[in-house]
Amino acid sequence: MKEFQEGSLAVAEIVRMCKPGVVSAYPITPQTHIVEELAQMVANGDLKAQCINVESEHSAASAVFGASAAGVRSYTATSSQGLFYMAEVLFNIAGVRLPIVMTCANRAISAPINIWNDQQDAVSLRDCGWVQVYAEDVQEAVDLHMIAYRLAEDKNIMLPVMVNMDGFVLTHGIETVDMPSQEQVDKYLPSYTPLYKLDIKNPMTIGPLVDPDYYMETRYAIQETHKSVLGMLPKLTEEFSKVFGRTYNGLVEGYRLDDAEKAFVAMGSVCGTTKEAIDSMRKKGKKVGLLKISCYRPFPHQAIYEALKNVKKVAVLDRALSLGSYAPLASEIKSVFFGKKKGPQTISSFIVGLGGRDITVHSIEEAYKLIGKKETCEFIDLKPELLKENYA
Amino acid sequence: MPEHLFTSGHTACSGCGQSLAARLVIDTAGPNTIVVNNTGCLEVFSTKYPESAWQVPWVHSLFENAAAVASGVEAALKYLGTKDTINIIAQAGDGGTADIGLQALSGMLERGHDILYVCYDNEAYMNTGVQRSGLTPFDANTTTSPIGNNSKGNPRPKKPLPEIALAHGIPYVATASVGFPQDIQRKVKKALSIKGPKYMQIHVPCPLGWRHEPQLTYAIAKLAVETGLYPLVEFENGVKSARQIKPKPVEEYLKTQARFKHLINNPEELKRVQAVADSNIERYNLKLQ
Ligand SMILES: Cc1ncc(C[n+]2csc(CCOP(=O)(O)OP(=O)(O)O)c2C)c(N)n1
Ligand SMILES: [Mg+2]
């Protein structure tokens, strides 16, 4: 049913329909509306979950670790500093292969403290073993949560999934969302039966000490499973479209790419603005398109190669930095084409919208003008007058 | 079916007090128990892949979060409707409890989870090489509270963790000692018969860290209690009871361990340690009347 709904409330609603048995989270802007809504659902008896109001994000991640190890579908949500505070537990969750789903309301990182949107939080944790998917709009955020549980709990995968949605832009944005019925969700997402769990009838030691004789294989196994995710996601999205009628590729999505000579690459809500800019540039005869990266971990090298191999010039929009080096997404896009016969002549890298700075159609057009002229880390929408003030 | 739920063959040092206490705890708790273990000696010496000493479901996550992981396990069992038939024990060393894990422990106690938390107190970070913790006793020589011209060892007394736990208003708090095995069994039984959060702190000598002969583990543990340096107290719904002693001079305890060697010919310092014991004796009313 189509509803006019705030992103956070829509996500809370879909999480409810995914029927987690344990929810544990710690408040941080802009994630709060999601967990407040879930708490209200539990209070009203609409969600039959145990809600643990922990004393920190470290404990939130730890609590869902414990709940998932005990064999129950579990959910958490966080953002920014909270995600970083969870960091060591997140590696652990992936290492123990627990199929937890988390929403990350993407937000900038301190200092300076800033509650607004960019993607530095999740991008900085790209190596923790979690699958990372990024939503362009609220509808996609809703749908990705169902897909996330299916993927995480697949017996050939058994990895945690982080659903990223841009803070405020999507968490607090109000959009028209097609909310599924409980029957549809149940059809797509069966109840969870764990492969292993803490079970008094079948006692197991989970999380033992593993020495150099055995450690490397556990990491290799996760690396291999990430490859399987690349095959699994498109299958799950295909199944998804059969039940819900909405189509996703799962890995990447091209927009007006077929005859494009120049193409942007981006993740998350900036894709919406970029599409708008592309439409207006197309009207002026410019052959430009977009490749949206839906799945950032695993990184879909092959799908990106196929989508961009015939594009002449590529411009990557990063909403995060790897301070002291190339921007994270741009450097990986470049790595896709290393040693390949086909590929763009230039790959330019643009930094947009850090700490919530508005990304407008004009920002994208500015970047467009610089495609091929600037190769590395060009900041768009910088305010030169502020730089003078600070350093003069 | 093995004789114990914590079996032999693990790699603890000879005379390890923690391994003895852990076995007493889990054997008393029985097979219907899930154990959540912090990082530390116990986790390391009992679960080196592909072996494990644990005959009950057991999980390790990290150094500071057993209380939080156990909270999640408890919530999951509640959701599944099996909580009333299964005990949950969260266990950790003194460092994992009193220092880095204190926040998670406090959260677990405050939220009222039905979990028994056991702190195996060997009075330092042993797994990483005998660094001081918040539960290292006054004047103990450790690798990060070494003796020197300007130092007599650890400058501070033990953090009053049982009282900190008690201040959360939880139904059961107890200290115990591996020197009194039946007392451990009785306390574990009692704790598990009570619903809600329970805190137990068990004194466990560490031959390597305390530098004592491994065969003296029981004797030394007993002396700690008998001198008043490790009072055995119990708070059931806030009501205190304590094991009564005929106090022995602290020197009898201190001289068994090289971590206190520097105190033996130092009457001034000995007096200060005696004052710690005397204050315990008065505070908990330990003296046998
Ligand atoms: C976050 C973090 N910090 C530090 C460590 C290193 N570390 C592992 S075990 C340990 C000491 C454990 O001391 P305690 O809790 O007293 O247990 P014991 O080994 O003495 O039984 C330390 C410092 C770690 N694993 N994780
Ligand atoms: Mg210790």
Side-chain angles (χ1 to χ4, degrees):
Chain A
M1 204 181 70
K2 292 216 167 147
E3 293 170 18
F4 208 47
Q5 185 67 283
E6 183 193 290
S8 294
L9 303 191
V11 165
E13 182 65 5
I14 200 65
V15 169
R16 180 184 70 74
M17 286 195 244
C18 290
K19 300 179 180 167
V22 174
V23 174
S24 186
Y26 188 83
I28 180 166
T29 305
Q31 150 266 37
T32 42
H33 287 186
I34 301 173
V35 292
E36 288 165 1
E37 184 69 7
L38 287 168
Q40 189 64 56
M41 289 167 176
V42 172
N44 293 350
D46 296 332
L47 170 59
K48 301 260 173 297
Q50 295 287 321
C51 225
I52 318 177
N53 287 318
V54 281
E55 78 298 331
S56 73
E57 285 89 354
H58 196 284
S59 285
S62 301
V64 290
F65 176 104
S68 186
V72 169
R73 184 176 287 161
S74 303
Y75 172 80
T76 187
T78 191
S79 177
S80 181
Q81 310 304 128
L83 188 76
F84 280 18
Y85 201 22
M86 285 182 176
E88 62 162 352
V89 191
L90 299 184
F91 278 77
N92 236 35
I93 287 169
V96 174
R97 313 293 297 256
L98 297 173
I100 293 163
V101 169
M102 157 191 331
T103 311
C104 181
N106 300 110
R107 166 184 150 180
I109 295 292
S110 290
I113 188 166
N114 173 300
I115 60 166
W116 292 274
N117 166 230
D118 64 33
Q119 295 168 343
Q120 189 70 58
D121 49 7
V123 166
S124 299
L125 283 179
R126 64 185 188 178
D127 298 335
C128 70
W130 285 56
V131 172
Q132 283 198 13
V133 292
Y134 286 74
E136 177 184 339
D137 53 26
V138 173
Q139 184 71 61
E140 195 174 1
V142 165
D143 295 344
L144 280 174
H145 282 83
M146 293 181 268
I147 296 166
Y149 273 115
R150 270 296 297 276
L151 178 68
E153 293 171 2
D154 189 285
K155 297 293 178 274
N156 295 310
I157 304 296
M158 293 304 285
L159 279 178
V161 180
M162 187 188 301
V163 178
N164 289 281
M165 61 191 295
D166 286 314
F168 291 114
V169 182
L170 298 184
T171 56
H172 291 55
I174 298 174
E175 293 179 12
T176 309
V177 196
D178 193 352
M179 290 307 289
S181 67
Q182 185 66 60
E183 292 67 40
Q184 282 175 306
V185 178
D186 290 345
K187 192 170 165 208
Y188 183 68
L189 178 66
S191 61
Y192 172 51
T193 37
L195 265 181
Y196 309 106
K197 62 171 184 171
L198 295 166
D199 181 3
I200 53 168
K201 291 191 197 82
N202 180 25
M204 259 183 81
T205 290
I206 300 178
L209 173 75
V210 173
D211 73 5
D213 284 340
Y214 297 97
Y215 181 84
M216 237 170 125
E217 286 71 18
T218 69
R219 308 305 287 173
Y220 174 80
I222 298 176
Q223 179 79 348
E224 287 298 297
T225 305
H226 269 272
K227 288 184 198 160
S228 309
V229 171
L230 293 174
M232 182 66 68
L233 256 179
K235 278 186 209 148
L236 291 178
T237 50
E238 201 181 306
E239 240 185 86
F240 182 90
S241 74
K242 281 191 195 125
V243 180
F244 301 94
R246 285 182 295 280
T247 314
Y248 300 101
N249 168 283
L251 303 178
V252 296
E253 272 172 37
Y255 181 74
R256 305 189 82 161
L257 262 190
D258 288 345
D259 62 338
E261 290 171 359
K262 294 179 182 173
F264 287 98
V265 178
M267 297 197 297
S269 63
V270 67
C271 291
T273 315
T274 308
K275 286 175 183 173
E276 217 184 305
I278 286 168
D279 288 347
S280 103
M281 289 188 274
R282 281 268 177 186
K283 277 190 198 131
K284 293 172 199 148
K286 291 173 176 142
K287 289 190 168 176
V288 57
L290 164 74
L291 184 69
K292 172 169 99 177
I293 308 294
S294 304
C295 179
Y296 179 54
R297 280 297 175 275
F299 199 66
H301 292 92
Q302 190 57 33
I304 293 168
Y305 175 74
E306 292 301 331
L308 295 179
K309 65 182 180 197
N310 296 320
V311 175
K312 289 205 183 87
K313 292 180 177 180
V314 164
V316 185
L317 305 176
D318 264 279
R319 308 210 48 211
L321 292 167
S322 173
L323 292 166
S325 187
Y326 301 124
L329 186 56
S331 62
E332 283 196 280
I333 296 293
K334 286 183 186 181
S335 79
V336 166
F337 293 98
F338 181 79
K340 291 273 167 35
K341 287 213 179 70
K342 290 184 175 178
Q345 296 154 5
T346 61
I347 297 176
S348 305
S349 164
F350 299 100
I351 308 298
V352 293
L354 298 187
R357 179 145 311 168
D358 253 354
I359 306 166
T360 60
V361 168
H362 183 256
S363 317
I364 307 298
E365 288 171 347
E366 281 302 296
Y368 181 83
K369 284 183 208 155
L370 297 171
I371 290 180
K373 297 193 181 91
K374 301 276 185 180
E375 287 269 324
T376 56
C377 269
E378 183 69 13
F379 283 64
I380 300 297
D381 293 329
L382 273 187
K383 297 181 181 170
E385 67 278 17
L386 288 187
L387 295 175
K388 262 184 232 138
E389 223 167 82
N390 284 335
Y391 298 112
Chain B
M1 188 71 187
E3 201 181 333
H4 294 289
L5 295 171
F6 179 80
T7 55
S8 59
H10 55 72
T11 60
C13 309
S14 65
C16 170
Q18 185 164 205
S19 65
L20 299 170
R23 192 177 68 193
L24 281 163
V25 168
I26 193 59
D27 277 351
T28 308
N32 290 354
T33 305
I34 293 173
V35 176
V36 182
N37 214 132
N38 266 13
T39 311
C41 281
L42 177 57
E43 163 260 333
V44 168
F45 70 64
S46 66
T47 70
K48 187 162 162 257
Y49 186 83
E51 294 177 340
S52 171
W54 297 96
Q55 305 302 312
V56 292
W58 181 100
V59 62
H60 162 256
S61 173
L62 288 162
F63 183 26
E64 66 282 60
N65 66 352
V69 172
S71 301
V73 173
E74 186 239 27
L77 297 191
K78 272 192 189 156
Y79 174 76
L80 296 170
T82 54
K83 177 64 205 77
D84 287 342
T85 57
I86 299 174
N87 305 312
I88 300 172
I89 293 178
Q91 55 185 20
D94 49 289
T97 302
D99 297 339
I100 198 167
L102 184 59
Q103 172 178 311
L105 171 62
S106 174
M108 179 206 113
L109 299 179
E110 169 269 322
R111 289 188 300 268
H113 295 281
D114 187 19
I115 297 168
L116 168 60
Y117 189 101
V118 181
C119 168
Y120 297 101
D121 183 10
N122 56 19
E123 306 195 312
Y125 297 112
M126 295 313 183
N127 190 51
T128 39
V130 201
Q131 296 86 15
R132 87 168 281 281
S133 82
L135 288 183
T136 297
F138 180 64
D139 269 359
N141 185 0
T142 75
T143 54
T144 53
S145 63
I147 55 168
N149 287 341
N150 300 320
S151 167
K152 299 279 186 299
N154 186 44
R156 301 283 304 154
K158 287 169 81 77
K159 195 187 274 196
L161 208 53
E163 274 88 351
I164 292 171
L166 189 67
H168 290 77
I170 61 174
Y172 189 74
V173 173
T175 59
S177 163
V178 77
F180 297 84
Q182 280 140 337
D183 185 59
I184 293 181
Q185 290 169 324
R186 180 182 66 80
K187 283 171 175 165
V188 170
K189 252 187 223 149
K190 183 182 284 179
L192 291 175
S193 74
I194 299 168
K195 254 207 155 115
K198 285 84 63 173
Y199 178 76
M200 255 183 93
Q201 184 174 304
I202 309 179
H203 199 220
V204 288
C206 168
L208 207 72
W210 297 7
R211 286 177 283 146
H212 67 73
E213 295 296 325
Q215 72 274 21
L216 294 183
T217 298
Y218 276 114
I220 287 173
K222 274 193 163 147
L223 277 171
V225 174
E226 289 162 356
T227 51
L229 283 173
Y230 214 94
L232 297 189
V233 290
E234 208 175 357
F235 298 92
E236 219 183 317
N237 294 314
V239 181
K240 186 192 75 187
S241 52
R243 185 184 191 91
Q244 307 289 290
I245 55 169
K246 276 191 236 160
K248 293 181 176 167
V250 293
E251 200 177 345
E252 282 192 35
Y253 172 68
L254 302 177
K255 71 184 182 196
T256 58
Q257 306 155 56
R259 64 173 173 159
F260 295 123
K261 198 171 151 199
H262 57 291
L263 306 177
I264 297 310
N265 294 316
N266 188 333
E268 271 310 297
E269 266 336 280
L270 280 177
K271 252 193 236 161
R272 294 171 123 185
V273 180
Q274 186 61 55
V276 173
D278 291 346
S279 124
N280 283 341
I281 291 164
E282 195 182 308
R283 179 143 152 234
Y284 299 113
N285 209 357
L286 299 177
K287 207 178 229 162
L288 199 62
Q289 297 303 326

